[in-house]
Structure formats: structure tokens, C-alpha cells
Amino acid sequence: MTSDPKGYYTETFPAPGLRQIFRHITGHNEQGQSVFLHSDHGDHYRLMVEKQAVANILYSTRETPVDLNDNVDIQKAKAEEPPFHYQSGSIVRMIDFGPGVESPLHRAMTIDYGIVVEGVFELLLDSDEKRIMRQGDICVQRATAHKWKNITGNGTLPGRMMWVLLDCKPVIGADGKKVEGDLGDLKKEYVGRGTY
């Protein structure tokens, strides 16, 4: 991610100026009734863009369908921070962006549901097409090259987005060749963390 430094730094989630979120995980009690197992803020955080953004992994699964028996999925999600995405799995990632922070152009071999939680963002594709997204707007990224820019308050306020990343089958381009993922400068944020 690149940014226009404005003296905005974060040390943890949430980023300054954004509210703390709660994650509620449900399960079953011994009588088979639905119950809340955990209410917390998530297990894994990653500071990014020289501390001008922070990612919070709300949940991840390593396979589809997911094994929910004996809370195996909860144990796996808590055990370690996931890579950018899991093949055959899922990741729910929330990122707090500092004012004016912009991601590099990147493409993940996933289908991503991107939701603006707080603020206003510009979504730019490699064709130079762009859209402005506001709170509640959703983008379905289908293994396409794109970048995000937080333009909340004309680039003076923090913003927050959430993505649900799911694996996809190989994508074949118009030229008949397999499309490859490329995180660009984001790659350094996930070195040693697996697939993208």
C-alpha cells in the first residue's frame, strides 16, 4: 500500500478514530441449543503501510465444506494468522485505512466480497475504470486487478472495509492463458504466509 503520510499512525486494531468491533462466535451446548461461545475482537492483527493501516482477521477456514465438529474450525482459526487466502478455504478480513491510504494494484486468485463498513473508498481497476463506494456498498471482485484508496473526508479521515475471500477455480483469460495472482507491493505484507 502507498499513502500520503499525514502523521496518522496505528499500533493496534482499531485504528485511531474508528470504533472497536465485536465478533460473536456461536455453537451448540450439550442440549443441542444454539449458544454464544465467544464474543471478542478477533485473534490476528497485522500492521500495514508503515503503521498507517491495520488488518484484523475476523475468521478463517482452511477447507470447504468446513468441519464444525468439536469446534475444530475455531481451533484452526485461532492457531495461526492465515495467509492472504486459503486454497479451498475462506477468510474474513477487516482493514482500517488511515486518511488517504491507497493499496497497490493487486490481483488475488479469489472471489472477494468487499464491503465498505465506514467511510468512502475509490475502487480503481487496471482498465482505469473506477467507482466510488460508500458505507454499505459492496464490490464482487472476481480475480481482477484493482486497488483501493480511502477518500473519506476528502482524504482526511480513517475508513474501514471488510472482505470475505473465497478460493476460485483457475481463471483463463481472453488470450487462452491462465491468469496469475500478483499482490504487487502488498506481497511484502504476507511474506512467508502462503498462497495469494
Side-chain angles (χ1 to χ4, degrees):
M1 292 182 166
T2 60
S3 67
D4 177 17
K6 295 182 169 96
Y8 181 93
Y9 299 101
T10 185
E11 298 292 334
T12 186
F13 188 92
L18 296 171
R19 73 176 191 83
Q20 183 60 273
I21 56 93
F22 284 88
R23 171 185 74 166
H24 306 287
I25 299 175
T26 63
H28 299 95
N29 64 17
E30 293 175 2
Q31 293 75 38
Q33 297 170 312
S34 301
V35 295
F36 290 104
L37 300 177
H38 303 283
S39 291
D40 57 26
H41 308 298
D43 295 315
H44 305 288
Y45 307 95
R46 171 171 292 278
L47 298 178
M48 305 171 75
V49 199
E50 296 160 6
K51 297 186 178 182
Q52 293 188 56
V54 60
N56 179 9
I57 305 301
L58 296 174
Y59 209 72
S60 63
T61 62
R62 299 182 192 187
E63 69 275 329
T64 301
V66 180
D67 182 1
L68 303 179
N69 295 298
D70 299 318
N71 298 329
V72 169
D73 61 309
I74 296 173
Q75 295 164 19
K76 287 180 180 179
K78 189 174 186 68
E80 62 184 40
E81 180 187 349
F84 190 80
H85 91 276
Y86 279 124
Q87 290 183 342
S88 301
S90 69
I91 294 181
V92 181
R93 178 180 287 113
M94 185 174 283
I95 298 182
D96 289 356
F97 289 72
V101 171
E102 180 177 337
S103 77
L105 188 70
H106 61 285
R107 178 197 317 268
M109 298 315 298
T110 57
I111 184 167
D112 305 352
Y113 307 119
I115 304 124
V116 177
V117 178
E118 295 186 43
V120 182
F121 286 81
E122 179 182 84
L123 171 58
L124 178 71
L125 306 180
D126 64 353
S127 64
D128 288 330
E129 289 184 78
K130 59 184 166 183
R131 296 289 186 269
I132 302 300
M133 294 180 55
R134 293 173 176 78
Q135 187 173 0
D137 289 347
I138 299 171
C139 176
V140 179
Q141 283 290 350
R142 301 173 60 250
T144 51
H146 64 283
K147 65 180 179 177
W148 298 95
K149 183 175 182 181
N150 174 20
I151 59 172
T152 308
N154 292 318
T156 64
L157 298 171
R160 174 178 285 166
M161 287 203 60
M162 181 170 60
W163 291 271
V164 178
L165 283 72
L166 303 171
D167 201 20
C168 65
K169 292 183 178 182
V171 176
I172 306 303
D175 59 1
K177 295 180 182 174
K178 181 180 173 184
V179 175
E180 299 292 336
D182 181 5
L183 292 184
D185 288 343
L186 265 182
K187 191 178 223 176
K188 69 179 184 271
E189 307 285 357
Y190 295 94
V191 169
R193 303 241 32 106
T195 60
Y196 55 87

